[in-house]
Amino acid sequence: MKNGYVKFSETRTLQEVVIDTDKKALTLSKETLALDKCNLDVPINGTVYGTLLNYKGELEKLGSQLNEAPYKNPPVAPVLYIKPVNTLNRSNKPIPLPNDTRELQIGAALGIVFNKVTSMVSEQNALDYVLGYTIVNDVSIPHESYFRPAIKQKARDGFCPVAPWIVKKEEIANPDNLEIKVFINGELRQQNSTANLVRSVVKLISDVSQFMTFNEGDTLLVGVPENQPLVQNLDHIRIEIEGIGSLENTVKL
Amino acid sequence: MKTARVAYNGSIHSAEESEGNVKLANGLIVKEEEVVWLPPVEPQTVFALGLNYADHAKELSFNAPTEPLVFLKGPNTFVGHRSKTVRPSDAINMHYECELAVVIGETVKNIKKEDAYNYVAGYTIANDYAIRDYLENYYRPNLKVKNRDTCTPIGPWLVDAKDIPDPMNLTLRTYVNGKVTQEGTTKDMIFDIPMLIEYLSSFMTLNKNDIILTGTPKGLINTKVGDEVITEIEGIGRLVNTIISD
């Protein structure tokens, strides 16, 4: 059982709930509702920022390429991108497979949801600005080069499913040690941990907030682990993040 | 018609232009200096184009792109007319970019270029500052260069599309402390407005009030703390901004 927040489609604001991730039920005041009976909206209403190359394994995979053209040097500042509003998608809704590609890359990401305006914060204070955590599937069309912004690969409609809830930050003792698993059609295809982040959760928040402000409801994805599974039409995806729950979607042409 | 969003007397108003003054929705007419100017539409999804003028690509020693070079900007970076933009103390090269901004009028997908202007609500001016010191070669231009707080002034007015019969033939100028430092014409865009709308809407849904910043011509110079930078587009207006220190 986890304390968290959901957004019912009928209401404008987040509701505090107790989430039973195993039984897939929500308790609201004293009433318990089966999750599949609830009409839940995406629980975030701000801008979604993604982070590239924030897993050590991703950097290791690029290896000496980081020093060659076009990159020339390993990244210094956090490499960010935006998942615009057209990409937002709910859990259990189809991920549309565009007709110009046969495969999609799954991006299992821990999402940090902000609870207030966050600007120039220190690592020590960073968690004061966090409401909680959610699970995001940062879907992409596979691309080899990271030189130019991957808008055409990352900003397609429905390419950003978000778990139906936010788990309160107090429920997560250490966000830098959460196991991440991706199952495709029930088979475990990727396993990693936020222990392998280049910048930890508080370091990432602090570093990014030095040059740009997050607003309440904005979400920062900590990154996507290396060896992202590829999926095709009709594949079912379940992303599990320890302590937060799971996010499921199916690819549909 | 020209419309704006302003703060006046402690609240936010929609306004329209009235003989050089600002007419609030309640009919009150006030001077330009009496209001705080906000971005004329609330930014949500904002696209920006890199290297979309052949002369500017040449200025930066790049070949002109064969496909639009698009990046996205977050709402945090926008400020209104007569605002102040922060120059970080460690920056060596921070330059303005005068750009025609196209505001989308409705939710659309798969628009053909022949029909694209039907879906434009209007135009405004953006100054898409870049701090070149922070450029890195990952998802370039990266957000540390292009998504900084205060670094994208936009406004003052949203000018109705019907009042700008040919947006592909407008003179752009930037003045630093009163002196012209950048001059070009929207005629020289590599990917014009209809092509950009066709391109973007071919792979994603565009929503009402999405904004496309269409790129900048050559003539970019470093700006210093205290400089007044005015970006001007024929028929659209003049966007005033001042550089301050951090």
Side-chain angles (χ1 to χ4, degrees), chain B residues 12 68 74 80 86 100 106 119 135-136 173 184 199 207 224 240:
Chain B
I12 293 174
V86 174
L100 177 65
E106 57 187 280
Y119 304 99
L135 275 171
E136 293 187 62
R173 275 193 203 99
Y199 173 75
N207 289 307
K224 305 179 304 295
V240 178

Side-chain angles (χ1 to χ4, degrees), chain B residues 134-145:
Chain B
Y134 303 145
L135 275 171
E136 293 187 62
N137 294 320
Y138 298 89
Y139 285 168
R140 174 180 172 138
N142 37 314
L143 270 63
K144 193 175 175 185
V145 178

Side-chain angles (χ1 to χ4, degrees), chain A:
Chain A
M1 301 288 252
K2 302 282 179 190
N3 288 296
Y5 305 91
V6 296
K7 186 180 171 298
F8 291 98
S9 296
E10 303 79 13
T11 60
R12 287 171 64 91
T13 53
L14 292 175
Q15 297 273 326
E16 279 200 58
V17 290
V18 178
I19 306 154
D20 186 333
T21 55
D22 297 329
K23 289 185 186 154
K24 300 199 169 175
L26 302 175
T27 305
L28 176 71
S29 304
K30 292 208 170 97
E31 191 185 6
T32 297
L33 303 162
L35 197 60
D36 57 10
K37 296 280 189 292
C38 298
N39 192 9
L40 294 178
D41 215 337
V42 174
I44 53 179
N45 58 10
T47 305
V48 179
Y49 295 92
T51 309
L52 185 76
L53 301 177
N54 198 33
Y55 275 86
K56 289 171 187 160
E58 270 189 299
L59 285 175
E60 281 161 19
K61 265 191 93 175
L62 284 169
S64 60
Q65 283 183 60
L66 295 169
N67 293 302
E68 294 161 11
Y71 310 123
K72 297 179 183 165
N73 290 298
V76 178
V79 182
L80 301 179
Y81 51 92
I82 294 174
K83 297 289 278 193
V85 68
N86 65 299
T87 66
L88 290 181
N89 201 347
R90 301 186 195 190
S91 76
N92 289 312
K93 295 285 181 198
I95 298 168
L97 180 67
N99 55 18
D100 59 347
T101 185
R102 293 189 59 189
E103 285 187 321
L104 300 177
Q105 221 170 24
I106 296 309
L110 174 70
I112 306 164
V113 185
F114 292 92
N115 67 358
K116 57 183 124 172
V117 172
T118 304
S119 180
M120 302 205 179
V121 299
S122 66
E123 288 181 45
Q124 291 71 29
N125 297 333
L127 291 184
D128 296 347
Y129 297 82
V130 172
L131 178 71
Y133 304 96
T134 188
I135 305 169
V136 175
N137 186 353
D138 173 12
V139 180
S140 306
I141 293 173
H143 53 293
E144 294 290 311
S145 175
Y146 300 131
F147 180 52
R148 290 301 187 191
I151 310 302
K152 202 173 176 180
Q153 292 81 17
K154 284 187 163 293
R156 304 289 182 115
D157 293 352
F159 268 27
C160 191
V162 182
W165 54 67
I166 297 163
V167 167
K168 282 190 183 180
K169 70 175 170 207
E170 291 80 6
E171 297 279 1
I172 304 295
N174 181 6
D176 298 311
N177 190 21
L178 301 177
E179 187 166 61
I180 296 175
K181 290 181 182 168
V182 179
F183 297 86
I184 310 296
N185 304 323
E187 181 194 338
L188 181 64
R189 290 273 299 278
Q190 190 186 29
Q191 193 165 4
N192 213 309
S193 165
T194 58
N196 299 318
L197 293 177
V198 177
R199 280 183 171 86
S200 67
V201 167
V202 294
K203 171 115 176 91
L204 185 65
I205 295 170
S206 174
D207 285 0
V208 175
S209 77
Q210 302 308 310
F211 65 87
M212 52 173 270
T213 296
F214 295 105
N215 285 310
E216 181 183 353
D218 283 358
T219 301
L220 175 62
L221 314 183
V222 300
V224 165
E226 68 280 9
N227 300 323
Q228 293 170 253
L230 294 173
V231 295
Q232 299 187 339
N233 190 30
L234 302 179
D235 282 344
H236 175 265
I237 303 131
R238 187 171 85 250
I239 299 175
E240 290 182 5
I241 300 184
E242 185 183 352
I244 301 178
S246 62
L247 168 65
E248 298 182 47
N249 298 86
T250 301
V251 180
K252 208 154 182 200
L253 195 63

Side-chain angles (χ1 to χ4, degrees), chain B residues 2 17 38 73 95 100 105 107 133-134 172 192 211 219 238 245:
Chain B
K2 295 180 173 182
E17 197 246 5
L38 305 172
K73 296 169 84 85
H95 61 69
L100 177 65
T107 299
D133 310 65
Y134 303 145
L172 307 96
D192 65 16
I211 304 171
R238 289 158 70 88
S245 63

